[in-house]
Amino acid sequence: MHSRISSLFPLITPSPSPPVQPWARAACWLAFLSALPSAAWRVAMMVGADVGFGQAYRYRESAGAIAYVVVLELVQIGSALLCLGLCRRWGEEVPRWVPVLGSRGINPKLPLMAGALGNALLYIIIFSVATLFPIALLQQPPGWTPAQGMSTTQTIIFALCYSPMLLWPIALTVALIGFRRRHRPRRA
């Protein structure tokens, strides 16, 4: 069983890696932190805060919609947390407490490939929504957006909570570059 698990995960013998560059560490943290305000806005909406979203009751009263928001929160926060793995030891070595795989090094290609795929998805999702939102507002009559019916204050709070997400894919790109530079093969 151990060899079967090992073949599925490209683990290596852990070896010391160079220290994380300060700019790469800052990018990892920025990637993580940029995902939190929008998640906090949705949590506030789900617990009944008046965030101005006219359809909020639909998300609070339907089991399917509640499940959707919970899964969205878990995926978003989990993905953001994984960004920190690019500057933390647990992103290079499986934690000791993990059965069978604990204390084994992670092949740097795994976080790089997963990070690149996630980063591409972030660029597509975030920037397509960021493009569609103003287009909907500029239509005559304006297309539907979550901001319809919000007061000026609620719209500003909504924008402040969601605009940091524009930084997430950019910060992740910088963090991936730092991770790659730290783990590139050394020349003799």
Side-chain angles (χ1 to χ4, degrees), residues 67-82:
Y68 165 76
V69 173
V70 168
V71 169
L72 178 61
E73 296 293 302
L74 291 173
V75 168
Q76 182 172 329
I77 300 302
S79 298
L81 188 59
L82 288 175

Side-chain angles (χ1 to χ4, degrees), residues 28-46 49 51 69 72-73 76-77 80-81 126 154-168:
C28 290
W29 279 98
L30 180 59
F32 171 68
L33 293 172
S34 65
L36 300 183
S38 61
W41 186 90
R42 285 190 301 273
V43 168
M45 176 193 70
M46 294 302 288
V51 295
V69 173
L72 178 61
E73 296 293 302
Q76 182 172 329
I77 300 302
L81 188 59
I126 291 173
Q154 291 167 331
T155 303
I156 290 169
I157 291 170
F158 177 78
L160 289 173
C161 288
Y162 274 84
S163 59
M165 288 193 64
L166 294 170
L167 298 174
W168 188 2

Side-chain angles (χ1 to χ4, degrees), residues 1-2 5-7 18 39 52 68 78 84 117 139 144 148 150 155 164:
M1 167 128 167
H2 179 54
I5 291 173
S6 295
S7 66
Y68 165 76
L84 290 177
L117 176 62
Q139 290 176 349
W144 185 86
Q148 284 181 338
M150 289 185 179
T155 303

Side-chain angles (χ1 to χ4, degrees), residues 24 43 45 55 73 78 107 110 124 126 155 160 175-176 180 183:
V43 168
M45 176 193 70
Q55 304 295 317
E73 296 293 302
N107 186 325
L110 182 63
I124 292 167
I126 291 173
T155 303
L160 289 173
L176 286 165
R180 172 68 179 113
H183 291 88

